[in-house]
Amino acid sequence: MMKNALGILILTAAASRAADNPTPLNAKPGLWEVTSTSERSGMPPIPADTLAKLPPEQRAKIEAQLKGTATTTTKQSCFTQEDVGKGFGWNNPASGCKQTIVSSNGSKLEAKWECEGAQKGSGTMKIEAPDSSHVNSVIDISMGANGHVMNMHVTTSAKWLGNSCGDVKPDAGKKE
């Protein structure tokens, strides 16, 4: 749905204005370290015929990975001033999805989205930037199709490391 945890996290705060004219979150451009913990439950909305074609060991592996276990990752991401100004990729919803800003200012954002089409889904996102060097978020997503529903709960914390990104290439707004 979105590039990565940082794309979900640092995002943008669109002050009580329309989502197509966002106000950037009060966050610095540069190198960020992002720690994200994801918890999943349920099966992803994989078509039944696709699941049926999987070898039993591969299907069992997928099911085991989705049994509500938490996965934590830490990575570094680089965001330019342009990336910050464009909302770190947040204001770029998947096709068939509509986002609504519930409330926001430069240090807080609460948004929700609804997706229609082959994969129906909904979600909420709460982001706080207590200062320009720290951003935290909580995201809850539910999506389903073909009789399967998967829920995700993602918490993320990011800290700004510096102006220079070194060897880390800018990656805001890219889809995974």
Side-chain angles (χ1 to χ4, degrees):
M1 199 168 187
M2 293 182 201
K3 167 37 187 130
N4 60 29
L6 189 57
I8 296 172
L9 164 71
I10 297 179
L11 312 172
T12 196
S16 303
R17 295 161 48 188
D20 61 348
N21 192 17
T23 298
L25 190 62
N26 294 330
K28 298 178 184 181
L31 186 63
W32 286 79
E33 180 178 84
V34 182
T35 300
S36 179
T37 301
S38 296
E39 298 175 65
R40 297 184 277 289
S41 63
M43 278 296 288
I46 300 172
D49 61 333
T50 302
L51 279 176
K53 292 176 187 174
L54 292 175
E57 61 277 357
Q58 189 176 5
R59 182 175 176 159
K61 183 178 179 182
I62 290 171
E63 290 173 348
Q65 289 174 337
L66 297 171
K67 292 226 186 232
T69 57
T71 304
T72 300
T73 59
T74 299
K75 72 174 273 186
Q76 292 184 349
S77 291
C78 179
F79 290 92
T80 66
Q81 185 64 50
E82 183 180 1
D83 296 331
V84 173
K86 289 183 176 181
F88 297 92
W90 176 75
N91 197 32
N92 200 12
S95 176
C97 296
K98 178 185 178 211
Q99 59 192 13
T100 303
I101 296 167
V102 176
S103 64
S104 84
N105 59 47
S107 63
K108 291 184 181 181
L109 167 68
E110 183 174 348
K112 65 180 181 175
W113 64 89
E114 297 283 332
C115 300
E116 295 296 324
Q119 289 191 12
K120 297 195 183 316
S122 62
T124 61
M125 172 175 58
K126 295 179 183 178
I127 302 169
E128 291 190 14
D131 58 55
S132 63
S133 299
H134 297 88
V135 181
N136 304 302
S137 72
V138 176
I139 299 162
D140 289 297
I141 301 169
S142 179
M143 59 185 181
N146 308 310
H148 298 283
V149 176
M150 183 172 76
N151 296 301
M152 290 182 65
H153 177 76
V154 181
T155 57
T156 307
S157 63
K159 65 180 176 182
W160 182 76
L161 299 177
N163 289 321
S164 174
C165 292
D167 294 335
V168 179
K169 302 288 182 220
D171 62 358
K174 292 182 184 173
K175 304 280 184 189
E176 285 190 84

